[in-house]
Structure formats: structure tokens, C-alpha cells
Amino acid sequence: AQSVTQLDSQVPVFEEAPVELRCNYSSSVSVYLFWYVQYPNQGLQLLLKYLSGSTLVKGINGFEAEFNKSQTSFHLRKPSVHISDTAEYFCAVLNSGGYQKVTFGTGTKLQVIP
Amino acid sequence: GAGVSQSPSNKVTEKGKDVELRCDPISGHTALYWYRQSLGQGLEFLIYFQGNSAPDKSGLPSDRFSAERTGGSVSTLTIQRTQQEDSAVYLCASSLFVGELFFGEGSRLTVL
């Protein structure tokens, strides 16, 4: 079975500072990895995805994430955050090789401080 | 609209009553998911439909929960004899491509 761990439930960061939101996964097979974002009072939307190829993937709003197979991690980064990045971020994993459920982490609330 | 539609957006019910939550996925999407979002619990997987295959019901928390998907489109999540711990936001998502889920706004259930 697959699982996702997001160790940080909340991350406060000052505006224009860099941020890293951590995600670790567990699976016995190869995986696809995703980050979703939920802005206040809105539905979840896909931020970026890793399916194969380059381990550094870029998403919307200047976010990027790097797949590290040896560390089973998929941390999300942004070099300079904006107030509008305040949201909850969810890491998700899907076992590759077939139609299966997507498993989400517990989420990390990013609070950008002006 | 072109997105995933869920109804009702809010539902307040009394303990012991049955509730039905509806999801209209994006047309043509073959996969449909139900998740439950509670404070501090993230997104808890409930059930997954893929085309005509048997659904993955492994996340349903008890036999009070059931879901069906009619004609490969609309889905209904039914909770029988609701309990206070069932209070949460129930999210529906549909997908055509691997892992790319499109979520609805959710149905907020409050059990008094």
C-alpha cells in the first residue's frame, strides 16, 4: 500500500522569502507524485505532477518540486513567496502501472506573513 | 458549467438520519473519487470508480457508507444512520488522465 507523509502541518514564512514544503512517500512499486493546492474557500487544484522523465518539475505560480527516489521525497519549493500563496498544500501519490486510487497527505498550511 | 458539481453544498442533519450527496463529474471523465476532508485529517479516501470496473471501496469507514455511479456518470454517496463523527466536507473528484483530479467544491455535512 502507498502512503504519504507531510511532517509540517503549518509553515509560516515572510513574504518574498523562500519556502520548502516537505513530502515523503512510501510504496513498494514505482509511483507518480502530485502536489495540489487549496486556496481559502476554494476547491483543490493541481499544482504540479511527476510522472516520469526529469526529476525537477515545474508547476503553476512559480512552484517546483524535485523527485528524489533514494530519499522517497517530493518536496515543493518556491524561491520567493507572495501573499497570494497562502493556502493549504497537499502531496499525493499514485502507484504507477494501473488504475488505482490517489492517496493524499494530511496537508501543509502555508501562511505568508506580510 | 464544465467543472465537477456537487450538491448539496451544505447539509445539516440530525443524528440517525440518512443523507445522500450527489456528484456530477466532468463529462467524459472515466474515473470518479470520493474523499472526506476533516480538520487536521487531510483528505481521507473513501471510494474510487474507474469505468466499468468494480469500484475500490477500501476507504469506506463502515457499512453505513455506500456509493454508486450510474451510467458511468453521476455518483451518489449515501450515509445511513448518520453519527456526529460523520461531520466533514465530502469531496468528489473526476479524472481522465492519470492522477489529474478535478475536484468539486464539496458538500459540507453537519450532524447534530
Side-chain angles (χ1 to χ4, degrees), chain B residues 23-111:
Chain B
C23 174
D24 277 284
I26 294 172
S27 178
H29 279 193
T30 55
L32 187 147
Y33 302 77
W34 283 98
Y35 290 88
R36 180 166 69 176
Q37 186 174 24
S38 307
L39 211 59
Q41 299 297 315
L43 271 71
E44 177 188 6
F45 168 77
L46 296 177
I47 188 168
Y48 162 53
F49 297 90
Q50 175 62 53
N52 295 320
S53 302
D56 178 351
K57 303 180 182 180
S58 61
L60 295 178
S62 77
D63 58 9
R64 296 186 296 106
F65 289 72
S66 63
E68 62 177 18
R69 188 179 186 191
T70 53
S73 181
V74 172
S75 177
T76 302
L77 177 69
T78 302
I79 309 172
Q80 296 179 311
R81 305 182 302 281
T82 52
Q83 304 294 313
Q84 288 184 334
E85 60 263 29
D86 300 335
S87 297
V89 177
Y90 289 82
L91 296 171
C92 176
S94 69
S95 173
L96 181 61
F97 299 112
V98 171
E100 295 188 32
L101 276 59
F102 290 81
F103 282 86
E105 295 290 320
S107 293
R108 181 177 296 276
L109 175 66
T110 303
V111 182

Side-chain angles (χ1 to χ4, degrees), chain A residues 32 36 38 49 94 99 102, chain B residues 35 37 48 98-101:
Chain A
Y32 301 134
Y36 282 79
Q38 187 174 31
K49 62 184 177 183
L94 169 65
Y99 294 109
V102 178
Chain B
Y35 290 88
Q37 186 174 24
Y48 162 53
V98 171
E100 295 188 32
L101 276 59

Side-chain angles (χ1 to χ4, degrees), chain A residues 22-78:
Chain A
R22 297 180 295 167
C23 172
N24 288 88
Y25 70 92
S26 175
S27 176
S28 57
V29 298
S30 54
V31 297
Y32 301 134
L33 294 157
F34 310 85
W35 277 97
Y36 282 79
V37 59
Q38 187 174 31
Y39 296 105
N41 301 313
Q42 294 186 29
L44 280 89
Q45 58 183 284
L46 182 65
L47 190 60
L48 51 77
K49 62 184 177 183
Y50 170 78
L51 302 182
S52 65
S54 172
T55 57
L56 182 64
V57 293
K58 295 186 183 298
I60 59 173
N61 299 335
F63 283 92
E64 63 182 32
E66 185 160 19
F67 170 54
N68 187 319
K69 188 174 181 180
S70 62
Q71 297 186 7
T72 61
S73 67
F74 190 55
H75 301 331
L76 181 70
R77 303 185 181 99
K78 186 170 183 178

Side-chain angles (χ1 to χ4, degrees), chain B residues 1-17:
Chain B
V4 176
S5 178
Q6 292 188 245
S7 61
S9 55
N10 276 287
K11 176 72 176 180
V12 180
T13 190
E14 293 179 348
K15 177 181 173 181
K17 300 284 189 181

